[in-house]
Amino acid sequence: MIVFEVDRRRGLAVARRLLELQFDMPEYVLPRNAVEGSQELALYYTFVTALDYMVDSAKLWSRARELFEEKPEVFEPDRIMRMSDEELEAMLRRLGARRFRKSAEAWRQIAGILLEKYAGDPRNLTPEPLPVAELTKRLREFPLIRGCKLMPLYLRIMHEKKLLKLADPVNIEIPVDIQILRLSFYTGFLKTRAVEVVVSEELRRLVRSAWRDVASELGVSPWRLDKPAWSIARAYCSKLRHSTCPLESVCEKEILRVVYRVSRKSSSPPRE
């Protein structure tokens, strides 16, 4: 049995440094024809976030922007429901969805839920501010988005873009994906004697709890640490670029393999 230990002091040092940094995330670069706060933008974020797993996020959002600039109507629920399987799957392949048939099925389910319950507009999920816990319950019926990694990502984006109203955004968790796991172990925030760890839901819970605790001590929401942590992990941890990393002074450089063994039944593989 692999034993994990949380180094709270190290985590606080890493978190303080992260809060000093500013990074642009690929999902925050808007299509040129997008209107802030609009239904169209809410639909764009809803459907594209559902694809943000086991893919190169930067490429996904870049391709999604291009598609929205060409044909924003393809993100409309009624249009998605009218598409043939071939047309929808071809569009998802263009975006880079790895499991395009499953993703097409999920898009149709999401479109159907939006049309049936929310007048085709994700903003109607929160006509009034809702607690994160209550909104999470509503989102449980949305395939892919309901996953433990994509749910907090979706909540963060929709909150920051003012597309969903949250009564307690401080309770948005950090999305625990391969990048956050790497940074947690490489910096020494999480410690183990193992040279390889296989990701499990138990490990994800431990990592979420660890980041939640240091965020609380620093008086911030965990989601505020996600952007700099994910960006650094992708640019530096994944390439072992320690000497130029902004966290070099607070990092223990503990290198180990973090691997996913995704079940065929899994509905929410890792966001890359």
Side-chain angles (χ1 to χ4, degrees), residues 31-49:
R32 288 171 294 184
N33 55 338
V35 177
E36 291 275 14
S38 67
Q39 177 182 353
E40 291 76 16
L41 187 59
L43 290 168
Y44 167 80
Y45 276 126
T46 298
F47 286 107
V48 181
T49 300

Side-chain angles (χ1 to χ4, degrees), residues 8 13 52 54 58 151 178 189 200 208 213-214 234 251 259 270:
R8 174 182 153 278
D52 198 356
M54 289 190 79
M151 176 80 79
I178 193 72
F189 182 14
S200 65
R208 281 196 296 269
D213 289 346
V214 297
R234 184 174 184 272
C251 179
V259 298

Side-chain angles (χ1 to χ4, degrees), residues 51 53-56 59-60 63 91-99:
L51 301 178
Y53 64 93
M54 289 190 79
V55 298
D56 183 314
K59 289 182 179 178
L60 168 67
R63 291 167 180 167
M91 186 175 74
L92 294 176
R93 280 197 297 268
R94 172 183 171 180
L95 291 175
R98 187 167 294 186
R99 300 178 178 180

